Structures are given as structure tokens and as C-alpha cells.
Amino acid sequence: MDQSYHKPVMADTVVDLFRPIPDGIIVDATYGGGGHASRIAEDLGRDVLGIDRDPDAEGALRGNFRDLARILEEQGIDRIAGILFDLGVSSHQLDQPERGFSFRKPGPLDMRMGPDAATEAGTLVNTLSERALADLIRRYGEERFARRIAAAIVAHRPVADTTELAEIVKAAIPAATRRSGGHPARRTFQALRIAVNEEMEALREGLDAGLSALEPGGRCVVISYHSLEDRIVKRRFAEGAQGCTCPPDLPVCGCGRTAELRILTRKSLTADPDEVAQNPRARSARLRAVEKVAA
Ligand SMILES: C[S@@+](CC[C@H](N)C(=O)[O-])C[C@H]1O[C@@H](n2cnc3c(N)ncnc32)[C@H](O)[C@@H]1O
């Protein structure tokens, strides 16, 4: 395991969830430094196929998990026994100023998790209309001052780097609200990162592909770090776990719908306080898991 990636989040829970699955490959769709993958391989003696879109993730197959169906086909893999998604950026990516993810470190407005991303953050910041920028910051950052921030960015264009962007955002937010909720630029940076990497689209497509490749009894585990991701996961799992949707007074089922998934985590699981104390990244982690039901 590459130490610059820090500790894998909720690794004991991940390992326990994969313990009872049938034989076969486990896919780690977000390999990063291989922390989870090596725990799974060591504790369970399982074969793990690691995928990551970042060329820095050594030991992983380079690819975007939204292309999972194609990746598995190319590897000659038909069915998988488990799949893990540990979403978002890694601490390794955050710690490299030249990647542009951090509002605390000077760097270029890049934010691409891998070279497959179509745009850089700087292109969005310096070319989108004020309205489109405000929509993006509100939607992906859940930022209530999105309009003010977008207006301030447009007034200061061209924005050169992460430090300048962080300063512009900070100055655009009313002083009274600046003291709560972490760094004032956190939400704007999150929004840009999500847009640059098309994270929401990738998650929807990756989940669909992963769930359909699972064999009966196979499991999918997802760790998300903000509510937008968690909502997508929760809805997709609920949709797959829904059986017959006929009205209860109908004598026989007419819809023919059967549940594809069994939800293993009625409420999302969180890291325990000891882990959060040792690994601040675990604070916002929400873990959800499902099992594929026999057809
Ligand atoms: C939180 S880190 C994973 C850390 C890893 N679990 C470990 O223990 O070292 C998330 C990783 O997922 C990768 N990633 C994010 N979105 C991806 C996607 N759509 N396809 C492939 N990799 C992705 C990132 O490049 C990053 O390396």
C-alpha cells in the first residue's frame, strides 16, 4: 500500500461485508493507493482487480469506472463476486498542489482526476457564463451564495490559480457566515471538481454496470463523502430492491417486477469515533451495501 494515500476508510466493515460472497473476482473500482484492495486480498485471500482513472494509482488498471462493462469484457471477465467504490479524490491527489484540488495550496486550476477528463477547472471558471457558473456551484456545491460567487469570479477574470479563486470566493461570502462550515471555498472547489470529472454521471453509470455484472450473492459496497453522491447510491439501491409495484388489492401481479437487490445497510454506516480521530477523511464517510439476489 502506498503510504501517501493514508488509511483506507472503514476497511474492517468493507472486509466483513465481502466475507460471505461467492468465489470470484472482487473489483476495486477506485484503487487509489490500494489500501482497501490490499486489506481485501490479505484478509480474505481474494483476487482483486483494481481500476483507477488516475495514472498515479500504481498497480491499478487505468480506466474510468463508468466504462466498467467494457473494461471487464476486455479482461475476459463475465461475472464478478464483489465491487467496491470508495468515491471522490484521494488524499494523495489533494496533497499534490500541481493537481489543483486544494484551496489551501497554490496550484493550477486543473482538478482532473485523470487525463480522460474533458476539461480543466480553469476552463470552466474562465469561460462559462455567469449564470452557468452559478448553476454549477449551486448544484454540485449546494452553495447558497452561488450567485454572488459566480458574479465575483466573472468580475475578476481571468482567474489564474487555486489561491486566487479561493480568495475571490472568500471575499464574495458574507463575513457573518464565513466563520461556520469550514473553509468558505470548500463548496465551490467541490462543485468544480465534480463538474470537471463528471462524477455524478460516472457514478450512475458505474453503479449500473457494477450491479449488473454481480453474480447472485455478490455484493456492492459504496463509500461516499457528500450528500449528492450518497443520494444517487441510496436511490439506485432502493430502486433495485423494489419488487412488485402492483396495487395491493390486485389478486395477481401484473407488473412482473422482482427485486434485483437486497439492501444490507438500512441506514448508511459511518466510521466510529476512534477512526475519525485518526483519519479526518473518515468523518464524512457514508457506507452503503447491497447483495445481488438470485434471478
Ligand atoms: C478515495 S480514493 C480511493 C482510495 C483507496 N480506496 C485506497 O484505499 O487507497 C478515490 C480514487 O478513485 C479514483 N476515481 C474517482 N472517480 C473515478 C472513476 N470514475 N473511475 C475510476 N477511478 C475513479 C480517484 O482517482 C481516486 O484515486
Side-chain angles (χ1 to χ4, degrees):
M1 175 189 152
D2 180 340
Q3 294 303 324
S4 71
Y5 283 84
H6 304 293
K7 290 193 174 69
V9 171
M10 300 179 78
D12 290 339
T13 311
V14 170
V15 166
D16 285 343
L17 280 162
F18 283 139
R19 211 178 281 284
I21 61 176
D23 288 344
I25 294 266
I26 299 180
V27 172
D28 181 344
T30 52
Y31 186 84
H36 284 106
S38 51
R39 278 292 308 272
I40 295 166
E42 281 160 23
D43 292 20
L44 303 176
R46 309 284 305 224
D47 287 334
V48 181
L49 173 71
I51 300 173
D52 203 296
R53 65 193 291 192
D54 188 345
D56 279 3
E58 279 171 37
L61 209 66
R62 169 113 65 94
N64 189 320
F65 58 59
R66 73 193 297 180
D67 303 321
L68 187 73
R70 181 179 54 72
I71 297 171
L72 293 179
E73 199 185 325
E74 281 169 6
Q75 297 300 310
I77 298 168
D78 185 31
R79 296 270 128 219
I80 58 174
I83 183 161
L84 169 69
F85 296 87
D86 176 24
L87 300 169
V89 273
S90 64
S91 25
H92 170 80
Q93 288 164 333
L94 274 174
D95 289 346
Q96 311 264 303
E98 69 275 15
R99 301 291 296 268
F101 288 112
S102 173
F103 42 76
R104 298 184 200 282
K105 295 189 179 124
L109 286 166
D110 185 330
M111 303 196 194
R112 289 169 304 154
M113 285 183 184
D116 64 304
T119 28
E120 295 180 21
T123 311
L124 301 179
V125 165
N126 287 317
T127 64
L128 283 184
S129 69
E130 184 175 325
R131 171 111 189 250
L133 208 47
D135 284 350
L136 184 156
I137 296 169
R138 186 179 307 105
R139 187 155 164 223
Y140 293 141
E142 299 184 304
E143 169 62 71
R144 61 189 170 119
F145 300 112
R147 279 177 67 177
R148 286 179 184 229
I149 294 170
I153 289 174
V154 169
H156 285 85
R157 279 175 179 175
V159 183
D161 59 18
T162 50
T163 317
E164 190 181 348
L165 179 61
E167 283 305 315
I168 293 169
V169 175
K170 189 172 168 191
I173 289 180
T177 59
R178 253 184 251 157
R179 266 168 250 123
S180 61
H183 192 288
R186 191 179 58 81
R187 292 169 180 276
T188 301
F189 272 62
Q190 172 186 301
L192 287 165
R193 195 201 84 204
I194 290 175
V196 162
N197 295 291
E198 298 185 359
E199 289 178 42
M200 299 301 133
E201 296 83 352
L203 177 56
R204 281 194 199 92
E205 292 169 26
L207 270 182
D208 278 348
L211 292 171
S212 83
L214 276 182
E215 56 181 301
R219 292 182 168 187
C220 171
V221 178
V222 187
I223 307 174
S224 50
Y225 295 88
H226 56 77
S227 55
L228 294 171
E229 288 170 343
D230 187 51
R231 206 172 303 150
I232 290 177
V233 179
K234 184 179 171 184
R235 285 198 185 144
R236 179 61 185 84
F237 284 2
E239 203 184 289
Q242 174 150 59
C244 167
T245 51
C246 292
D249 54 350
L250 212 68
V252 268
C253 166
C255 73
R257 227 188 125 111
T258 53
E260 157 208 28
L261 305 173
R262 180 166 74 88
I263 293 176
L264 301 170
T265 48
R266 201 176 53 80
K267 286 176 73 172
S268 62
L269 306 181
T270 53
D272 64 36
D274 282 354
E275 181 175 356
V276 174
Q278 284 177 32
N279 183 2
R281 221 187 115 64
R283 193 181 328 121
S284 50
R286 297 272 174 282
L287 183 150
R288 294 185 187 272
V290 281
E291 184 174 291
K292 185 85 169 261
V293 175

